[in-house]
């Protein structure tokens, strides 16, 4: 049991170190994937389009860097900026969303990349604290498992 807990502890430790070392690559990868999701955005209910809509509605943002990122997409030429960017869903018409100048007043202007990364970075201290707490419990479990094993081994020799 102590060896199993030690193995799990080492896997979590290595994952944390790799995540910290490659955090900039993770950001770059996220940004490129968000750009790809915008390019492939469509009205059908695929996972990437739903994810983009959810991010934009939840964080009150639009596009990757700003709302004008949508102008370079095929979706914009057909339908304009998506409704998930609208500040007020009732006040957004399709004509407004097709005109970037009118849309600027009706949609969120901030990009999602900065908001997502800043939200993740602000929550990292909470994640680190929880991870540290779990690691402490694992270390206590490893120590107690070793003590129990030693106690059982010592008692077997005394019985003879």
């Amino acid at each position: 049991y102590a060896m199993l807990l030690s193995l799990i502890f080492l896997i979590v430790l290595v994952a944390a170190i790799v995540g910290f070392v490659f955090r900039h690559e993770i950001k770059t990868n996220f940004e490129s994937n968000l750009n790809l999701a915008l390019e492939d955005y469509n009205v059908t209910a695929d996972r990437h389009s739903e994810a983009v809509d959810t991010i934009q509605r939840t964080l009150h943002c639009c596009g990757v860097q700003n709302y004008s990122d949508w102008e370079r997409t095929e979706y914009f030429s057909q339908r304009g900026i998506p409704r998930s960017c609208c500040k007020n869903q009732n006040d957004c018409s399709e004509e407004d969303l097709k005109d970037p100048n009118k849309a600027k007043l009706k949609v969120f202007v901030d990009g999602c990349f900065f908001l997502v990364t800043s939200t993740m970075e602000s929550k990292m201290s909470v994640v680190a604290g929880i991870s540290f707490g779990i690691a402490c419990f694992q270390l206590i479990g490893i120590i107690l498992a070793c003590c129990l094993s030693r106690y059982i081994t010592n008692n077997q020799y005394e019985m003879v």
Side-chain angles (χ1 to χ4, degrees):
Y1 181 71
M3 290 179 66
L4 180 66
L5 275 179
S6 299
L7 179 67
I8 293 170
F9 178 77
L10 288 174
I11 290 171
V12 170
L13 183 66
V14 167
I17 291 171
V18 167
F20 181 74
V21 170
F22 294 111
R23 68 186 179 279
H24 299 295
E25 285 82 2
I26 292 170
K27 279 185 181 180
T28 305
N29 194 12
F30 175 72
E31 184 177 18
S32 64
N33 284 330
L34 193 56
N35 277 317
L36 283 173
L38 256 63
E39 289 173 18
D40 297 337
Y41 185 88
N42 57 24
V43 190
T44 61
D46 69 327
R47 293 179 310 161
H48 301 290
S49 299
E50 288 178 17
V52 170
D53 286 337
T54 302
I55 289 171
Q56 291 181 152
R57 272 192 215 103
T58 306
L59 295 179
H60 303 290
C61 60
C62 189
V64 179
Q65 300 300 329
N66 58 34
Y67 76 100
S68 63
D69 293 335
W70 283 104
E71 294 176 35
R72 296 185 297 271
T73 65
E74 187 178 321
Y75 182 83
F76 181 80
S77 61
Q78 296 170 358
R79 304 196 64 191
I81 297 173
R83 294 189 64 81
S84 59
C85 286
C86 292
K87 294 177 184 175
N88 183 356
Q89 294 293 322
N90 300 328
D91 191 28
C92 264
S93 66
E94 195 167 318
E95 294 80 34
D96 292 340
L97 294 174
K98 285 185 176 182
D99 181 11
N101 295 324
K102 289 181 184 176
K104 184 177 185 178
L105 303 171
K106 307 249 180 182
V107 299
F108 303 114
V109 292
D110 297 328
C112 294
F113 176 71
F114 175 73
L115 289 173
V116 168
T117 54
S118 63
T119 301
M120 284 173 37
E121 287 172 356
S122 70
K123 305 293 183 198
M124 285 307 247
S125 60
V126 174
V127 171
I130 291 171
S131 299
F132 181 73
I134 291 171
C136 287
F137 280 115
Q138 283 181 320
L139 288 174
I140 291 170
I142 292 168
I143 292 168
L144 291 175
C146 289
C147 290
L148 181 62
S149 173
R150 187 172 181 188
Y151 179 75
I152 291 171
T153 304
N154 286 342
N155 280 344
Q156 284 179 347
Y157 289 116
E158 290 178 9
M159 294 167 116
V160 176

